[in-house]
Amino acid sequence: MMANFWRDKRVFVTGHTGFKGSWLTLWLHLMGAKVSGYSLPAPTNPSLFHLARLQNCVQTTTGDVRDPKHVAETMAAVQPDIVFHLAAQPLVRDSYVTPLDTYATNVMGTAHVLEAVRNTPSVRSVVVVTSDKCYENREWLWGYREDDPMGGHDPYSSSKGAAELVTSAYRRSFFAKDPDNTVGIASVRAGNVIGGGDFAADRLIPDFIRALEKEEPVSIRNPHAVRPWQFVLEPLSGYLQIGQLLFEQGGKYAEGWNFGPADTDLQTVSQLCATFNHSLQKNDVAPVEVRLEPQPNAPHEAAFLRLDISKARQRLDWIPKMELYTALELTAQWYAGYLNNEDLRTLSENQIAFYQSLT
């Protein structure tokens, strides 16, 4: 992934006001891209988008990917070179409460974006962001590979599996037949991302921060669940690399890709809590009392999940550059800055610069 490549590229990002979308928007802006965002208002208050003043980095259109006409009109007006589709209903637990909205956003929203791409001749590269939960989870110990079956126990996970199928169908039906092979569409799957600026409900690190602000304990419902934790910039670096390769080489990389952490960074929820508390203390923030409160009647959530990243390692020379301990240090540093009213735009830019300096 070359920073110079992105200078003056017209990039269309759906879901740019969300957690990952905000980090991606800032990174693209720093590399000189002309970023246009399409999204509902920031999904949380506070939000990284507003705290880091990202409205100054992007031309924003407020819209819903469930509205195909508006998506198409907006994309046609922008005439982007590259599209990153991140807009989604991103929470497992919310999908049990609003399953129809989850499917409408995650499945039909993806179809609407791809249909808009089909009618926007400027586009040469499309990166559809789904989730590690798109796979049919069999709770096995080895990582899921890109050619494993799609599935999903809950509405969120199955909606991401369906979004993968929609992406594959559009790629094979409409873009693989392009005689010049000039448009590449890839899907990308990542694990549980952590980093500063996440304030979503029912996520571990944001729950910690809310407990800090309220001076209350944090309750952990699945202490033994194992997740592929990774710093937010890790998968984003893979998304950017794929976006560039699709633009430069058309359909050669138009397929599914996993971007996960090293196997050594798989930890249980309770282990992550202990490590994050230690990182908070190093940043002069008081630790949070952790209460392990399993909920036997809670909606189903996967107990074990990991990704096999050998394909990205072999074909892209992509590897995770940051150990989980460092990721938690940076995350604690960001939230300490938030609690101390520091300039979060500068802090976020410095963390991107630090990540880029890693080899």
Side-chain angles (χ1 to χ4, degrees):
M1 191 266 291
M2 302 295 294
N4 289 340
F5 165 83
W6 293 96
R7 183 165 301 281
D8 294 327
K9 290 291 188 301
R10 298 186 306 275
V11 184
F12 188 83
V13 181
T14 72
H16 70 292
T17 59
F19 169 52
K20 288 171 74 174
S22 292
W23 277 105
L24 179 62
T25 295
L26 178 57
W27 200 346
L28 286 165
H29 172 75
L30 291 173
M31 293 189 293
K34 298 176 180 178
V35 187
S36 297
Y38 184 91
S39 179
L40 293 171
T44 60
N45 184 23
S47 70
L48 173 60
F49 187 80
H50 292 298
L51 290 172
R53 307 186 304 282
L54 299 185
Q55 61 271 20
N56 301 325
C57 303
V58 57
Q59 177 183 329
T60 293
T61 298
T62 301
D64 193 324
V65 292
R66 292 174 293 182
D67 183 345
K69 184 173 183 291
H70 194 221
V71 172
E73 291 174 346
T74 306
M75 193 179 297
V78 172
Q79 288 292 303
D81 303 302
I82 299 169
V83 173
F84 289 96
H85 174 45
L86 287 83
Q89 191 299 93
L91 301 173
V92 172
R93 286 211 154 193
D94 279 5
S95 76
Y96 283 105
V97 179
T98 59
L100 295 182
D101 284 346
T102 299
Y103 287 116
T105 300
N106 295 354
V107 185
M108 289 308 301
T110 299
H112 296 157
V113 170
L114 293 175
E115 184 67 10
V117 166
R118 194 159 75 96
N119 292 288
T120 307
S122 64
V123 178
R124 289 178 52 185
S125 170
V126 184
V127 180
V128 176
V129 179
T130 64
S131 168
D132 60 344
K133 297 177 181 65
C134 68
Y135 294 107
E136 180 62 40
N137 192 341
R138 294 167 182 167
E139 304 286 356
W140 55 34
L141 298 180
W142 51 89
Y144 292 91
R145 296 183 176 181
E146 286 86 348
D147 56 359
D148 280 326
M150 299 293 106
H153 183 285
D154 55 87
Y156 168 78
S157 301
S158 64
S159 75
K160 287 300 188 177
E164 286 280 354
L165 297 176
V166 168
T167 302
S168 176
Y170 260 81
R171 179 169 54 234
R172 291 185 289 181
S173 298
F174 304 116
F175 298 99
K177 297 178 181 180
D178 174 7
D180 298 319
N181 202 29
T182 56
V183 182
I185 298 179
S187 59
V188 291
R189 306 139 190 182
N192 285 39
V193 295
I194 58 173
D198 188 3
F199 294 95
D202 288 321
R203 281 189 183 154
L204 185 58
I205 299 298
D207 284 349
F208 254 79
I209 303 308
R210 282 186 283 270
L212 266 174
E213 292 183 298
K214 295 178 181 179
E215 298 183 344
E216 296 177 352
V218 63
S219 297
I220 305 302
R221 61 180 181 268
N222 291 314
H224 304 300
V226 177
R227 296 286 184 268
W229 312 99
Q230 59 189 147
F231 191 61
V232 61
L233 298 181
E234 295 274 38
L236 292 184
S237 72
Y239 303 173
L240 288 165
Q241 184 177 353
I242 287 293
Q244 177 180 335
L245 289 169
L246 291 170
F247 184 93
E248 294 174 335
Q249 303 187 45
K252 184 177 178 181
Y253 295 91
E255 51 199 275
W257 298 89
N258 287 342
F259 295 103
D263 289 344
T264 54
D265 284 337
L266 291 172
Q267 284 194 5
T268 65
V269 170
S270 59
Q271 288 172 324
L272 191 85
C273 290
T275 308
F276 188 58
N277 255 335
H278 178 68
S279 297
L280 288 172
Q281 289 178 282
K282 290 184 65 175
N283 283 275
D284 297 320
V285 177
V288 177
E289 179 186 349
V290 177
R291 291 181 179 174
L292 305 182
E293 298 180 348
Q295 300 173 8
N297 297 318
H300 174 272
E301 292 185 77
F304 190 91
L305 190 58
R306 68 189 279 195
L307 294 173
D308 185 318
I309 60 171
S310 56
K311 177 178 165 182
R313 188 188 302 270
Q314 293 165 7
R315 290 183 53 194
L316 306 177
D317 198 28
W318 180 92
I319 58 171
K321 300 196 292 185
M322 187 180 294
E323 294 181 348
L324 180 58
Y325 181 81
T326 305
L328 289 167
E329 290 278 301
L330 289 180
T331 303
Q333 178 193 75
W334 196 99
Y335 284 110
Y338 161 72
L339 294 169
N340 292 323
N341 296 312
E342 294 180 17
D343 184 335
L344 296 175
R345 170 73 170 272
T346 299
L347 180 53
S348 301
E349 290 178 349
N350 289 342
Q351 291 197 347
I352 291 174
F354 171 77
Y355 180 80
Q356 289 179 304
S357 73
L358 299 175
T359 56

